[in-house]
Amino acid sequence: MFLSRFRINTARPGARRLLSSPQALHAAVMSSFPHLLPSDTPAPDAPRVLWRLDQPARAEVLLYLTSPDQPDMTHLVEQAGWPAAATPDSPGWHTRPYKPFLDRLTAGDHWNFRLTANPVHSIRRNDSEPTKITAHLTPTHQKGWLLDARRQERCGFRILEKPPTARLLPDGTTHHGTPHHGDRYALTVGDARPLSFDKTRTADGKRRGKPVTVLTVTFDGQLEITDPEALRRTLTQGIGRARAYGCGLLTLAPITPPAQAVT
């Protein structure tokens, strides 16, 4: 397994085209692997290519991806990077082996995490209708999707609770006494983005079928590892739906202790 980072040059027309189309960016990511064909489908329990866009600043967009094979992102550098600055030692992206990190994961360890996901649920208006997959639209329900106890167990982690002194409301409740998990857990949700695009078109460029609609949100928080093997599967296989379109990639970072006051 490998973890890669690519900084996108947002001033280039090719970059703007990729950023405007999750389908085009997915195709570009998959083209980084010469042994993968567009018709290939990953096995259900096998590691897969996952990717995510992060935007730490207005003009800074980073593409992260995990993959079973080492990528060659030369074409991305040519389309959306700085090709004139590329050298053999610095080709325009950074890749490092992921397995040593995965092997060090230990039950009880605490980590910061980030996840862009497509939180959905199944609904139907009456018993005679088939169920329909629908996105969660409010931050409270989006958090509830990730806080689901069975989901956390399958994924191998537990989202940490805030210490009582860090909660805005006592015991994480609203002033009406209604449970409010948003203030109880070390978890925030933001950057909600509705994506709509055509998955397929005819030879003459006309739309074929209905457009694909995906709502993505980004979760940031802190977790405790409960099952290292399950978490390794989560980190290499992803969480939830729409993994081909920039969802499902969970990444971890060390928790930095707060700075001590100097007296």
Side-chain angles (χ1 to χ4, degrees), residues 80-110:
W82 285 266
T87 67
D89 293 331
S90 181
W93 71 92
H94 300 279
T95 296
R96 63 185 181 187
Y98 203 25
K99 189 175 185 300
F101 172 77
L102 297 175
D103 291 342
R104 292 197 302 269
L105 296 176
T106 304
D109 286 353
H110 291 185

Side-chain angles (χ1 to χ4, degrees), residues 100-210:
F101 172 77
L102 297 175
D103 291 342
R104 292 197 302 269
L105 296 176
T106 304
D109 286 353
H110 291 185
W111 293 88
N112 287 321
F113 74 88
R114 172 166 287 182
L115 166 70
T116 294
N118 171 225
V120 298
H121 61 132
S122 298
I123 63 170
R124 59 182 176 183
R125 290 177 295 182
N126 55 63
D127 293 340
S128 63
E129 288 187 351
T131 58
K132 179 182 179 182
I133 302 297
T134 304
H136 285 299
L137 299 179
T138 68
T140 296
H141 288 100
Q142 291 161 354
K143 289 180 181 179
W145 175 86
L146 189 58
L147 288 167
D148 178 78
R150 289 177 295 180
R151 188 182 312 280
Q152 292 188 69
E153 182 179 5
R154 288 196 307 270
C155 291
F157 62 76
R158 176 182 68 87
I159 295 177
L160 297 176
E161 295 188 14
K162 295 179 183 178
T165 54
R167 298 178 186 177
L168 299 176
L169 301 169
D171 300 323
T173 61
T174 67
H175 64 283
H176 296 298
T178 305
H180 190 276
H181 52 240
D183 192 42
R184 178 180 173 187
Y185 293 93
L187 178 66
T188 62
V189 59
D191 197 23
R193 297 185 180 185
L195 308 176
S196 182
F197 53 93
D198 299 324
K199 189 172 183 179
T200 59
R201 285 182 176 270
T202 61
D204 58 359
K206 293 182 179 179
R207 176 182 296 170
R208 177 184 295 163
K210 295 181 179 179

